[in-house]
Amino acid sequence: MSRSMITLTTDFGGGSPYVAQIKGVILSIQPQAVLIDMTHAVSPQNVRQATLVLEDVTPRFPEGSIHVAVVDPGVGTDRRLLAAEIGGRYYIAPDNGLLGRLVGSVPAARVVALTQRGYWLPVVSATFHGRDIMAPVAAHLSLGAALEDFGEPCDRLTQLAWPQVEVEKNRLQGEILAIDSFGNLITNISQDLLAAGAADSAAVQCGGRTISGLADTYGRHTPGTLIALVGSSNRLEIAVVNGSAAVELRAEVGDAVSVTLTP
Amino acid sequence: MSRSMITLTTDFGGGSPYVAQIKGVILSIQPQAVLIDMTHAVSPQNVRQATLVLEDVTPRFPEGSIHVAVVDPGVGTDRRLLAAEIGGRYYIAPDNGLLGRLVGSVPAARVVALTQRGYWLPVVSATFHGRDIMAPVAAHLSLGAALEDFGEPCDRLTQLAWPQVEVEKNRLQGEILAIDSFGNLITNISQDLLAAGAADSAAVQCGGRTISGLADTYGRHTPGTLIALVGSSNRLEIAVVNGSAAVELRAEVGDAVSVTLTP
Amino acid sequence: MSRSMITLTTDFGGGSPYVAQIKGVILSIQPQAVLIDMTHAVSPQNVRQATLVLEDVTPRFPEGSIHVAVVDPGVGTDRRLLAAEIGGRYYIAPDNGLLGRLVGSVPAARVVALTQRGYWLPVVSATFHGRDIMAPVAAHLSLGAALEDFGEPCDRLTQLAWPQVEVEKNRLQGEILAIDSFGNLITNISQDLLAAGAADSAAVQCGGRTISGLADTYGRHTPGTLIALVGSSNRLEIAVVNGSAAVELRAEVGDAVSVTLTP
């Protein structure tokens, strides 16, 4: 159990001095903390995108690691701030949907609402609770404070609307969840759903194009080929080999993707 | 006092190999250094922007921390390089205005000009003193060298022209100092100056628009609303809730912002 | 010998969650690893650009440091993955040219092909060997495993086509290798080649412009001046003082640069 690792996920943008302020506050309280930038490239106020990062990436970190997520358009209102222990890892985030799915997926998750001001900075601004509340709570958690020290247990977390895959007979109807820096289109269609059919029978439709069959990987096809494959997070992805599917299909998050399977 | 923390502020751009070279040099001399990227997103040669980062962020770091700022258009000329102790923290930067305000604000600040070549890399290039002089000096400072080991005390630092707020009766005339990644417009009008009037009486003017009253925070207003508020660094800010004031007002750094207060 | 330092060079883009996944895997195996972002701004699939970073930057890191490079368009095909010890530093990368020049430059370099699956993640995806193979190998190398534990020695590495400088009498014909974030044009013409002539006699031609003589550094010339100089990595560079040579000359990587020298 290494509680010294603290990751940061924000929508502050790469190189934001706001991130540096959070780091300073954590290190002032817990100089031994090992700070890791998870990502600061979440688009502004995009809670879903941050949730996806937490879900895909935090399980790769060791038990005891602490994950702070500051995507917080409701800062300064009466939205709650949460600290949670989910599957042996710790999370600190606003109650705006960021943790709803993660907590829901682990029955034994524990969650508290942050109310104990003794663990906050003495002066709390109205617009930057990431620095003034979440950062010091993360530092004290790293120093060994118990989750329950920060506030009362709470449940009924805010749940984010999440696009569900429609499953009809031999057809899956999903959508683009995210686009990565290569322009790969990452869908909400999981490997499990695809397993119902043979890989070479799948016909994937997106942006007016149809892709026949699933590829194993990028490099087995000619550069420029449009392919569909199961990506490294077990989701159906659409890619252009050595190119950008986002550009070629003019695709955006939320666009429809369907798969026809022959069982 | 933790001298092992060394932060880096540069105009090299995110992902610049120049930053990595600085890190390699520091870690080769002082393998225990904890390196923190403050920001590398300062726009090229923008000394004022870097100064603002140092002023806002470094006080959040613990005493003894070392802050290296490489925004150095005069590299290789006879401009001095400085090491300073200001309020218990250490700074290494060119004498081009980066440290003038910080040193001026703390009477007991100590400053030396870097002249002792024994602490530099054996080969010093003409174009990258961040790597060849500032990095090794930071590493040796971290290892325990005294400020005075690096050179002679010096004073009369270069002062940067800094936009002053004009205060007339019930009116403050300031300007936009910086724009953050959310498009929030951060002005040079401090909370202290605003305190002369009632918050709900303030009328803020910028880009041909007038905002009545100061908001507490973003989330209490409808998305899209143009608001003015005191931000997390105690400066007047203009924001669009869940949007970008920079885009909406087509605002740029240096644009005028005025406030009319009713006492 | 500090094997705890592990640097990461990728084409994943700043803020990519893929980078964070690699960090999580390394830290889960070796919690004491000190992770350093070398750069994630390599353009997609640009092996040459990543090679240049490795060559310029890794020699600045201490002996024993471990350098992981994930620019891997052939992931999932039969291209080999390599671990190497070159000049006292360790490297992990695909055999796609990334290490060919480095290994070739050091006669005593040792290289193995990664084949021992016991050091990999239990589940290996087809599209992300950076996370599933390279990251755990780096972690185990950091923990003290020997290079030979990971696989059999191998030679005949893939060599990247590399633009050579044509040397004719008093004329050097080269090209732009890279463009940095300031817009400086970094060429493949090394200081050694330039040393054949007097600095003030050099005439540098690029993009239809001719620059007479080599400058010492940026700051000695008026802002806006187009200059040529030997940069901090001992390569001929073309720069605009406080501006961008890339913009002014509309230059791109691969564009021709020639130098006429008078001996």
Side-chain angles (χ1 to χ4, degrees), chain A residues 46-101:
Chain A
N46 194 328
V47 174
R48 191 204 281 178
Q49 188 185 354
T51 301
L52 206 57
V53 172
L54 294 179
E55 287 187 20
D56 282 356
V57 185
T58 61
R60 301 285 175 178
F61 280 78
E63 295 210 354
S65 54
I66 298 170
H67 305 279
V68 179
V70 188
V71 179
D72 191 14
V75 61
T77 66
D78 59 3
R79 65 90 186 79
R80 297 180 297 188
L81 289 173
L82 307 174
E85 185 265 299
I86 309 170
R89 292 168 192 84
Y90 294 92
Y91 297 81
I92 298 168
D95 180 24
N96 59 12
L98 271 168
L99 298 186
R101 278 168 55 91

XYZ file of all heavy atoms in Angstrom, chain A residues 46-101:
424
model
N -15.707 18.871 -18.932
C -16.118 17.604 -19.526
C -15.967 16.460 -18.519
O -14.962 15.736 -18.491
C -15.312 17.322 -20.790
C -15.925 16.204 -21.609
O -16.528 15.285 -21.059
N -15.765 16.270 -22.919
N -16.972 16.296 -17.708
C -16.939 15.310 -16.628
C -16.854 13.896 -17.201
O -16.151 13.035 -16.679
C -18.171 15.467 -15.718
C -18.233 14.358 -14.680
C -18.138 16.828 -15.034
N -17.545 13.652 -18.315
C -17.524 12.300 -18.860
C -16.122 11.877 -19.294
O -15.688 10.751 -19.050
C -18.488 12.183 -20.047
C -18.674 10.731 -20.451
C -19.096 10.587 -21.898
N -20.507 10.854 -22.056
C -21.123 10.832 -23.247
N -20.444 10.531 -24.346
N -22.398 11.109 -23.324
N -15.443 12.797 -19.942
C -14.091 12.483 -20.407
C -13.166 12.165 -19.225
O -12.367 11.224 -19.289
C -13.550 13.698 -21.188
C -12.227 13.448 -21.886
C -11.677 14.714 -22.540
O -12.338 15.762 -22.566
N -10.460 14.620 -23.050
N -13.313 12.920 -18.142
C -12.480 12.673 -16.966
C -12.830 11.333 -16.326
O -11.957 10.600 -15.854
C -12.644 13.814 -15.957
N -14.115 10.999 -16.314
C -14.552 9.716 -15.770
C -13.896 8.561 -16.523
O -13.440 7.573 -15.939
C -16.083 9.593 -15.895
O -16.673 10.678 -15.191
C -16.583 8.292 -15.304
N -13.858 8.711 -17.830
C -13.267 7.682 -18.681
C -11.786 7.489 -18.340
O -11.285 6.353 -18.286
C -13.427 8.137 -20.137
C -13.475 7.102 -21.227
C -14.599 6.102 -20.997
C -13.691 7.797 -22.571
N -11.087 8.580 -18.104
C -9.673 8.474 -17.721
C -9.547 7.743 -16.391
O -8.748 6.809 -16.251
C -9.027 9.878 -17.629
C -7.628 9.789 -17.041
C -8.993 10.541 -19.004
N -10.346 8.145 -15.430
C -10.270 7.486 -14.114
C -10.545 5.990 -14.246
O -9.843 5.161 -13.655
C -11.270 8.115 -13.140
C -11.011 9.568 -12.741
C -12.111 10.051 -11.782
C -9.645 9.749 -12.092
N -11.563 5.639 -15.023
C -11.926 4.230 -15.169
C -10.845 3.419 -15.878
O -10.563 2.288 -15.503
C -13.236 4.106 -15.957
C -14.444 4.521 -15.168
C -15.743 4.224 -15.914
O -15.737 3.381 -16.836
O -16.744 4.843 -15.557
N -10.272 3.998 -16.936
C -9.297 3.247 -17.724
C -7.929 3.197 -17.063
O -7.206 2.211 -17.202
C -9.127 3.886 -19.120
C -10.267 3.538 -20.059
O -11.147 2.746 -19.660
O -10.280 4.059 -21.188
N -7.565 4.251 -16.383
C -6.159 4.364 -15.976
C -5.923 4.010 -14.513
O -4.938 3.347 -14.189
C -5.623 5.783 -16.280
C -4.142 5.859 -15.971
C -5.882 6.156 -17.737
N -6.796 4.418 -13.606
C -6.463 4.218 -12.190
C -6.289 2.750 -11.809
O -5.476 2.461 -10.930
C -7.476 4.909 -11.242
O -8.786 4.354 -11.447
C -7.509 6.396 -11.477
N -6.977 1.786 -12.451
C -6.712 0.388 -12.082
C -5.287 -0.058 -12.387
O -4.851 -1.091 -11.875
C -7.710 -0.403 -12.947
C -8.782 0.566 -13.293
C -8.093 1.887 -13.410
N -4.571 0.710 -13.208
C -3.177 0.372 -13.504
C -2.244 0.794 -12.377
O -1.077 0.398 -12.362
C -2.739 1.064 -14.802
C -3.562 0.691 -16.018
C -3.215 -0.698 -16.499
N -4.061 -1.145 -17.594
C -3.909 -2.326 -18.190
N -2.967 -3.165 -17.798
N -4.707 -2.683 -19.164
N -2.726 1.635 -11.473
C -1.883 2.123 -10.381
C -2.001 1.199 -9.168
O -2.987 0.498 -9.000
C -2.265 3.565 -10.012
C -1.666 4.574 -10.948
C -2.214 4.800 -12.201
C -0.505 5.257 -10.615
C -1.639 5.701 -13.089
C 0.083 6.156 -11.496
C -0.489 6.379 -12.730
N -0.986 1.229 -8.315
C -0.992 0.301 -7.175
C -2.091 0.607 -6.164
O -2.594 1.739 -6.094
C 0.390 0.490 -6.544
C 1.021 1.658 -7.189
C 0.267 2.005 -8.424
N -2.449 -0.382 -5.404
C -3.396 -0.173 -4.312
C -2.822 0.879 -3.376
O -1.616 0.955 -3.168
C -3.642 -1.482 -3.559
C -4.330 -2.518 -4.437
C -5.221 -3.466 -3.637
O -5.215 -3.390 -2.388
O -5.938 -4.266 -4.273
N -3.703 1.678 -2.825
C -3.270 2.730 -1.929
C -3.008 4.044 -2.636
O -2.932 5.091 -1.990
N -2.870 4.009 -3.931
C -2.626 5.257 -4.655
C -3.846 6.169 -4.544
O -4.973 5.717 -4.371
C -2.281 4.982 -6.125
O -3.279 4.188 -6.739
N -3.588 7.476 -4.621
C -4.619 8.497 -4.424
C -4.820 9.253 -5.738
O -3.855 9.710 -6.341
C -4.188 9.472 -3.303
C -4.038 8.706 -1.985
C -5.179 10.625 -3.175
C -3.388 9.514 -0.877
N -6.074 9.387 -6.154
C -6.377 9.987 -7.454
C -7.298 11.200 -7.266
O -8.439 11.046 -6.840
C -7.000 8.932 -8.363
C -6.116 7.724 -8.487
N -5.044 7.682 -9.348
C -6.093 6.543 -7.803
C -4.416 6.517 -9.215
N -5.027 5.803 -8.281
N -6.779 12.355 -7.584
C -7.512 13.608 -7.415
C -8.023 14.053 -8.779
O -7.244 14.141 -9.727
C -6.592 14.694 -6.813
C -7.346 16.007 -6.657
C -6.007 14.227 -5.480
N -9.315 14.302 -8.882
C -9.903 14.736 -10.153
C -10.594 16.074 -9.952
O -11.567 16.181 -9.205
C -10.900 13.695 -10.663
N -10.077 17.097 -10.634
C -10.630 18.436 -10.496
C -11.226 18.878 -11.830
O -10.562 19.487 -12.665
C -9.558 19.439 -10.014
C -10.218 20.777 -9.692
C -8.820 18.905 -8.796
N -12.453 18.464 -12.050
C -13.268 18.974 -13.161
C -14.529 19.402 -12.452
O -15.339 18.572 -12.049
C -13.541 17.895 -14.221
C -14.417 18.450 -15.339
C -12.232 17.351 -14.768
N -14.673 20.687 -12.242
C -15.527 21.153 -11.153
C -16.293 22.424 -11.512
O -16.138 23.458 -10.863
C -14.609 21.406 -9.938
C -15.391 21.632 -8.659
O -16.599 21.345 -8.630
O -14.771 22.100 -7.675
N -17.144 22.338 -12.539
C -17.875 23.562 -12.917
C -18.777 24.091 -11.805
O -19.125 25.267 -11.816
C -18.689 23.121 -14.142
C -18.706 21.639 -14.131
C -17.456 21.194 -13.426
N -19.120 23.252 -10.829
C -19.997 23.703 -9.752
C -19.262 24.246 -8.544
O -19.865 24.443 -7.493
N -17.966 24.511 -8.702
C -17.170 24.980 -7.552
C -17.847 26.173 -6.874
O -18.306 27.096 -7.543
C -15.730 25.333 -7.994
C -15.694 26.441 -9.021
C -14.874 25.695 -6.785
N -17.902 26.126 -5.567
C -18.445 27.245 -4.801
C -19.947 27.165 -4.598
O -20.515 27.949 -3.839
N -20.613 26.235 -5.295
C -22.047 26.030 -5.038
C -22.163 24.945 -3.963
O -21.178 24.538 -3.367
C -22.775 25.569 -6.316
O -22.304 24.256 -6.682
C -22.505 26.522 -7.465
N -23.372 24.443 -3.752
C -23.527 23.456 -2.677
C -23.292 22.015 -3.137
O -23.635 21.083 -2.410
C -24.903 23.601 -2.019
C -26.016 23.400 -3.028
O -25.709 23.107 -4.203
O -27.192 23.532 -2.647
N -22.725 21.812 -4.305
C -22.356 20.439 -4.708
C -21.362 19.920 -3.654
O -20.532 20.653 -3.161
C -21.776 20.403 -6.124
C -20.452 21.115 -6.334
C -19.249 20.268 -6.121
N -17.990 21.011 -6.184
C -17.506 21.746 -5.202
N -18.169 21.906 -4.070
N -16.328 22.340 -5.344
N -21.471 18.617 -3.368
C -20.576 18.033 -2.379
C -19.190 17.729 -2.968
O -19.058 17.535 -4.162
C -21.167 16.718 -1.845
C -22.481 16.877 -1.122
C -22.999 15.537 -0.627
N -23.277 14.608 -1.717
C -23.890 13.434 -1.557
N -24.279 13.045 -0.335
N -24.105 12.638 -2.582
N -18.200 17.685 -2.107
C -16.892 17.143 -2.476
C -16.753 15.795 -1.795
O -17.169 15.631 -0.631
C -15.764 18.074 -2.037
C -15.660 19.379 -2.832
C -14.622 20.294 -2.179
C -15.233 19.083 -4.269
N -16.153 14.834 -2.487
C -16.109 13.461 -1.998
C -14.676 12.950 -1.859
O -13.800 13.339 -2.625
C -16.835 12.535 -2.979
C -18.261 12.906 -3.369
C -18.758 11.941 -4.468
C -19.182 12.872 -2.155
N -14.504 12.053 -0.883
C -13.316 11.195 -0.858
C -13.842 9.771 -0.806
O -14.830 9.495 -0.109
C -12.441 11.501 0.352
N -13.216 8.883 -1.565
C -13.730 7.523 -1.664
C -12.593 6.522 -1.679
O -11.463 6.847 -2.072
C -14.556 7.373 -2.949
N -12.897 5.320 -1.219
C -11.981 4.199 -1.375
C -12.732 3.191 -2.230
O -13.823 2.745 -1.867
C -11.620 3.621 -0.002
C -10.584 2.524 -0.045
C -11.221 1.153 -0.075
O -11.947 0.810 0.878
O -11.012 0.418 -1.075
N -12.173 2.924 -3.383
C -12.832 2.051 -4.364
C -11.807 1.015 -4.813
O -10.804 1.372 -5.442
C -13.329 2.852 -5.595
C -14.162 4.069 -5.158
C -14.118 1.964 -6.542
C -14.503 5.044 -6.280
N -12.040 -0.213 -4.469
C -11.129 -1.278 -4.909
C -9.704 -1.075 -4.445
O -8.764 -1.404 -5.164
N -9.537 -0.512 -3.239
C -8.188 -0.373 -2.687
C -7.470 0.899 -3.083
O -6.380 1.191 -2.590
N -8.093 1.681 -3.985
C -7.490 2.954 -4.379
C -8.361 4.093 -3.845
O -9.550 3.908 -3.597
C -7.363 3.036 -5.905
C -6.335 2.046 -6.421
C -6.340 1.844 -7.902
N -5.521 0.673 -8.217
C -5.955 -0.607 -8.175
N -7.233 -0.880 -7.878
N -5.137 -1.606 -8.423
N -7.759 5.264 -3.702
C -8.480 6.405 -3.145
C -8.763 7.448 -4.226
O -7.962 7.631 -5.149
C -7.666 7.051 -2.021
C -7.522 6.141 -0.834
C -6.429 5.295 -0.714
C -8.493 6.100 0.161
C -6.304 4.435 0.365
C -8.382 5.242 1.248
C -7.281 4.409 1.335
O -7.179 3.558 2.398
N -9.884 8.115 -4.075
C -10.321 9.107 -5.061
C -10.828 10.341 -4.331
O -11.539 10.225 -3.315
C -11.450 8.543 -5.935
C -11.030 7.351 -6.765
C -10.974 6.070 -6.222
C -10.662 7.515 -8.097
C -10.565 4.979 -6.983
C -10.255 6.429 -8.867
C -10.206 5.159 -8.302
O -9.796 4.090 -9.051
N -10.513 11.505 -4.862
C -11.029 12.762 -4.319
C -11.562 13.562 -5.502
O -10.820 13.808 -6.462
C -9.921 13.531 -3.573
C -9.445 12.683 -2.387
C -10.426 14.887 -3.099
C -8.179 13.186 -1.738
N -12.842 13.940 -5.436
C -13.477 14.582 -6.592
C -14.782 15.224 -6.165
O -15.348 14.866 -5.128
C -13.757 13.543 -7.678
N -15.279 16.170 -6.969
C -16.617 16.707 -6.708
C -17.673 15.635 -7.000
O -17.444 14.735 -7.807
C -16.763 17.856 -7.720
C -15.445 18.034 -8.369
C -14.651 16.797 -8.151
N -18.810 15.782 -6.350
C -19.920 14.856 -6.597
C -20.750 15.351 -7.785
O -21.893 15.800 -7.640
C -20.795 14.758 -5.337
C -21.961 13.794 -5.553
O -21.842 12.908 -6.421
O -22.984 13.957 -4.857
N -20.139 15.291 -8.956
C -20.837 15.762 -10.158
C -20.913 14.667 -11.215
O -21.084 14.950 -12.405
C -20.138 17.008 -10.716
C -18.675 16.727 -11.062
O -18.241 15.583 -11.091
N -17.925 17.778 -11.312
N -20.730 13.436 -10.775
C -20.770 12.328 -11.702
C -19.421 11.667 -11.903
O -19.332 10.544 -12.399
N -18.368 12.346 -11.489
C -17.019 11.829 -11.708
C -16.824 10.445 -11.096
O -16.144 9.595 -11.661
C -15.981 12.786 -11.108
C -15.484 13.899 -12.026
C -14.713 14.933 -11.247
C -14.599 13.321 -13.127
N -17.413 10.232 -9.909
C -17.174 8.960 -9.215
C -18.371 8.019 -9.228
O -18.269 6.888 -8.760
C -16.756 9.225 -7.756
C -15.467 10.016 -7.561
C -15.109 10.067 -6.079
C -14.311 9.385 -8.358
N -19.499 8.470 -9.770
C -20.716 7.669 -9.693
C -20.578 6.273 -10.269
O -20.951 5.281 -9.642
N -20.034 6.172 -11.460
C -19.895 4.868 -12.105
C -18.867 3.991 -11.394
O -19.093 2.793 -11.189
C -19.481 5.045 -13.565
C -20.636 5.354 -14.493
C -20.151 5.810 -15.856
N -19.253 4.865 -16.485
C -19.635 3.873 -17.305
N -20.917 3.700 -17.555
N -18.751 3.067 -17.858
